[in-house]
């Protein structure tokens, strides 16, 4: 009797369970960090996606493919037949996915392969007919909430920041093959990379009517063209609609693409270390968001965000490469290289003039002064600083990457760009002249674009000086000594004239204690109102090397800052004179006549770092505090109320934090080394930073009495600035700010050296190692005998060679040893 009951129960369970499994047609695909549920019955769709335990998709239409033809969308949510699933090892194949209409059938096979680190999803799509598609998704991901992710880093270093999707049906379309979704609260990250050989990949992000995030991948033979605006087709960010791209053709036949999903830990991948006396979370937040939003698309990097209504890029901003120093993402550097290649090919006129701007539309352009690629002369005047700034960005990006082959490909174009502006020095005094002679012409010539700076403009000339110094050094590295000398000599003439008093034709105003903005051709002096970018750049770029003048400028600015209790430096400390700017710039303060623009933060921090670093840090902290209030999501801040103004959000709002990294922490990647030159206060001692440098993860320790840089094998510590570079088995130490290596150490195992003294007569360091080391000392006096001692014990005398090099093979007798190499004469 008992056996019969058990048998009956088994029959009942089979009846209940087996049909349920058959109807559900679901299978789970997973690895240790990602789990997805695939439904393949009446539809083919991923209905659940879990990332590191977090449910990010839990919808019946979670992830699917589709094609929109005319006004009708056909998708894998509505199939013509039931697909067939087969499984072989870790590969799952779903074949027979069919959807479309009576005249057209779209056929797809889906193949999933799960490994320990990723899930690869291959989509094979075919059709017997050519399709004119309004849109195509291969696939679309519908995340549960708009705030599932804070943003998505693009493969070229840009950011889709969902904080700015401030209304339903905001859509942002870009051209990239990979994206990194991230959430700093959960530290969860999801990388999605598309491999579509021979095809182009576009992605778009949409806030849906249901306040969900729709992420769509589209693959096409030709690069997808933005749908808006008609006639220009350059707009990446749209509101109230989702159709980011113009219709395109999907040819008959079969196409294949693979989508790879992998998890990353946000803190581990983008973490920056341990901060002392500075809110590290806010530092990371600023550099992870605001700093990146000027990257509009893969070939369009600037300072104005993709969110801006007309989407401008200012090529007359010298700090776009500098942003990459603190963003510290190799993808940003690689992406900006491609962007500058594009600018070289499309933004430089045949005569060497650089268009200063690009935008979604031509509304800001001087009539008729734009090209088909969207670059243009601004309506306000010929903005001359675009020429030196393009060169500066190329030079500084070269320092960040060390890619000599890349910078050489820009050599001829940079020479042409510099030569164009250097020809503007008609009187031979080293100061180039603007296109206008007098401010009464009411045309601008620089970044402060509705102030009528004319003729000899200090703002443009100090930028030019900076570009000339940097480019002369590169010409030297490229073995073009005549050009290097020409640019260096011009820079010196410019500097000499710049520093003359206004009575003698220079820019130093002895009465006002500052450098003026410009001098008209009639010798009248203008912009005597302590224009902060002019004066900060003069100090930061080294054109002002007079300590008394530096003190006067910086003390006077700080005195007024305390009087007004401003949280950041304004564009000018007092008003421009009537007639020196556009009418609505008056009364003071208003917009460019006195408001607070954070885009000049890095040079302000740099100017104070050498003088009073505590003041620089004060304003860095003020910016971080402001970020916690409003995300810095404005163009500027009003002077009277210190409130955010302007919908033209600037990535330059992060530049004070960039200055923190470069001038306070002293992080300066250079073409042949990592250069560390800190200016920390006692409160910052104990800061430990992690930094990506050419494929390595460096650790920088900043203490009150010494600093160190290390990778996984080598470490250098010193109490002054120094340079550091490593290859697989070789350490290079650069003493101080030397361009050339001072000491090389070859070791197969861990090596730590602590520099105690380094001058022409004595080199001393502590060594920590357990395996043999070969040292090569450089820049010594040639054919000279040096004494080599270990722990105070003489070992031998060694003679340097004709090149001033000396080789020492050292086999450590103990873990820690003191090495001294000193001259005998």
């Amino acid at each position: 009797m008992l056996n019969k009951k058990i048998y009956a129960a088994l029959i009942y369970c089979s009846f209940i369970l087996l049909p349920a499994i058959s109807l559900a047609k679901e299978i789970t695909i997973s690895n240790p960090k990602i789990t997805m549920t695939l439904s393949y019955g009446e539809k083919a769709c991923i209905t659940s996606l879990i990332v590191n335990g977090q449910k990010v998709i839990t919808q019946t239409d979670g992830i699917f493919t589709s094609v929109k033809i005319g006004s009708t969308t056909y998708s894998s949510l509505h199939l013509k037949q039931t697909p067939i699933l087969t499984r072989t090892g870790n590969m799952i194949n779903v074949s027979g996915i069919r959807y479309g209409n009576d005249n057209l059938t779209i056929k797809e096979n889906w193949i999933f392969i799960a490994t320990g680190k990723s899930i690869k999803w291959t989509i094979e799509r075919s059709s017997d007919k050519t399709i004119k598609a309004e849109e195509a998704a291969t696939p679309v991901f519908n995340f549960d909430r708009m705030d599932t992710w804070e943003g998505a880093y693009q493969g070229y270093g840009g950011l889709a920041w969902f904080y700015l999707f401030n209304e339903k049906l905001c859509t942002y379309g870009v051209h990239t093959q990979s994206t990194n979704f991230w959430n700093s609260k959960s530290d969860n990250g999801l990388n999605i990379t598309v491999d579509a050989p021979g095809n182009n990949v576009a992605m778009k992000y949409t806030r849906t009517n249901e306040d969900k995030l729709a992420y769509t991948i589209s693959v096409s033979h030709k690069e997808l063209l933005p749908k808006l605006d008609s006639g220009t087709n350059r707009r990446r960010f749209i509101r109230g609609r989702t159709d980011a791209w113009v219709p395109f053709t999907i040819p008959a036949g079969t196409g294949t693409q693979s989508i790879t999903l992998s998890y990353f830990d946000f803190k581990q991948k983008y973490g920056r270390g341990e901060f002392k006396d500075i809110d590290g979370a806010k530092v990371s937040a600023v550099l992870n968001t605001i700093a990146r939003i000027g990257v509009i698309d893969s070939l369009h990097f600037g300072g104005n965000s993709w969110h801006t209504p007309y989407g401008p890029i200012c090529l007359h901003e010298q700090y776009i490469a500098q942003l990459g120093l603190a963003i510290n993402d190799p993808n940003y550097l690689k992406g900006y290289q491609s962007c500058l290649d594009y600018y070289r090919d499309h933004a430089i006129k045949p005569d060497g003039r650089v268009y200063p701007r690009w935008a979604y539309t031509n509304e800001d352009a001087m009539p008729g002064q734009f090209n088909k690629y969207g670059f243009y002369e601004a309506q306000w005047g010929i903005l001359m600083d675009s020429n030196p700034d393009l060169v500066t960005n190329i030079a500084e990006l070269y320092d960040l990457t060390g890619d000599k082959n890349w910078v050489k490909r820009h050599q001829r174009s940079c020479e042409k760009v510099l030569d164009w502006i250097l020809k503007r020095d008609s009187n031979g005094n080293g100061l180039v002249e603007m296109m206008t002679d007098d401010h009464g012409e009411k045309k601008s010539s620089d970044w402060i674009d509705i102030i009528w700076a004319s003729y000899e403009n200090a703002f443009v000339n100090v930028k030019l000086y900076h570009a000339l110094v940097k480019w002369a050094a590169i010409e030297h590295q490229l073995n073009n000594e005549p050009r290097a000398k020409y640019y260096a000599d011009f820079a010196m003439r410019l500097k000499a004239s710049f520093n003359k008093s206004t009575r003698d034709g220079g820019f130093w105003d002895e009465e006002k204690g500052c450098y003026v903005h410009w001098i008209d051709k009639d010798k009248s002096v203008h912009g005597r109102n302590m224009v902060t970018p002019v004066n900060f750049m003069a100090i930061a770029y080294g054109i002002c090397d007079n300590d008394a003048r530096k003190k006067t400028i910086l003390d006077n600015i700080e005195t007024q800052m305390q009087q007004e209790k401003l949280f950041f430096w304004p564009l000018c400390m007092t008003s421009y004179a009537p007639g020196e700017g556009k009418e609505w710039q008056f009364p003071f303060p208003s917009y460019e006549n006195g408001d607070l623009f954070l885009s000049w933060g890095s040079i302000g921090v740099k100017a104070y770092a050498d003088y009073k670093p505590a003041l620089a840090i004060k304003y860095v902290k003020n910016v971080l505090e402001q970020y916690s209030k409003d995300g810095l999501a404005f163009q500027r801040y009003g002077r009277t109320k210190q409130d955010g103004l302007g919908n033209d959000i600037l990535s330059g709002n992060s530049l004070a934090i960039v200055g923190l990294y470069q001038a306070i922490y002293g992080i300066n990647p250079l073409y042949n080394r990592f250069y560390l030159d800190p200016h920390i206060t006692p409160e910052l001692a104990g800061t430990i930073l992690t930094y990506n440098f050419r494929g390595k993860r460096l650790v920088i320790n900043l203490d009150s009495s010494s600093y160190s840089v290390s990778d996984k094998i080598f470490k250098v510590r010193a109490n002054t600035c120094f340079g550091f570079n490593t290859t697989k088995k070789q350490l290079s130490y650069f003493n101080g700010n030397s361009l050339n290596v001072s000491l090389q150490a070859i070791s197969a195992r861990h090596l730590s050296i602590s520099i105690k003294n380094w001058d022409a007569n004595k080199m001393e360091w502590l060594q920590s190692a357990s395996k043999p080391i070969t040292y090569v000392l450089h820049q010594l006096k040639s054919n000279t005998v040096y004494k080599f001692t270990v722990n105070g014990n003489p070992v031998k005398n060694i003679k340097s060679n004709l090149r001033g090099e000396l080789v020492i093979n050292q086999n450590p007798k103990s873990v820690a040893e003191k090495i001294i190499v000193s001259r005998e004469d």
Side-chain angles (χ1 to χ4, degrees), residues 452-574:
W452 310 137
S454 304
Y455 199 61
E456 291 178 341
N457 179 343
F459 190 104
V460 172
N461 274 280
V462 69
K463 282 184 164 188
L464 177 59
Y465 173 81
H466 187 53
L468 287 170
V469 170
K470 285 188 166 292
W471 194 255
I474 291 174
E475 290 283 1
H476 173 71
Q477 293 172 43
L478 298 177
N479 299 314
N480 191 343
E481 293 304 330
R483 280 281 182 171
K485 185 177 186 304
Y486 171 59
Y487 295 134
D489 288 348
F490 199 107
M492 291 303 99
R493 290 200 309 275
L494 191 161
K495 180 176 182 177
S497 292
F498 191 101
N499 279 303
K500 291 179 180 178
S501 73
T502 52
R503 296 193 314 271
D504 299 322
F507 294 118
W508 179 251
D509 188 327
E510 294 178 352
E511 179 188 352
K512 297 293 186 179
C514 68
Y515 291 99
V516 300
H517 193 164
W518 79 92
I519 300 174
D520 279 349
K521 192 173 184 179
D522 65 5
K523 305 300 182 184
S524 58
V525 179
H526 300 275
R528 303 178 68 198
N529 50 326
M530 187 68 85
V531 181
T532 53
V534 169
N535 287 273
F536 283 156
M537 283 192 288
I539 296 171
Y541 295 160
I543 204 167
C544 174
D545 52 14
N546 182 307
D547 289 340
R549 287 184 181 182
K550 291 180 185 179
K551 185 178 188 304
T552 296
I553 292 168
L554 298 175
D555 286 351
N556 287 347
I557 289 174
E558 178 58 18
T559 295
Q560 189 166 344
M561 292 293 290
Q562 292 186 27
Q563 289 172 351
E564 295 190 49
K565 295 182 173 56
L566 300 177
F567 86 91
F568 197 77
W569 302 294
L571 266 186
C572 52
M573 299 310 296
T574 58

Side-chain angles (χ1 to χ4, degrees), residues 328 330 333 396-403 668-674 691-698 724-726:
N328 194 219
L333 304 183
E396 295 199 342
L397 185 58
Y398 167 55
D399 267 338
L400 292 171
T401 65
D403 190 341
N668 288 271
L670 298 176
Y671 70 96
N672 65 344
R673 65 201 186 280
F674 178 88
Y691 195 82
N692 297 313
F693 181 71
R694 296 175 197 163
K696 298 182 178 69
R697 189 78 159 167
L698 302 183
F724 173 97
N725 196 33
T726 63

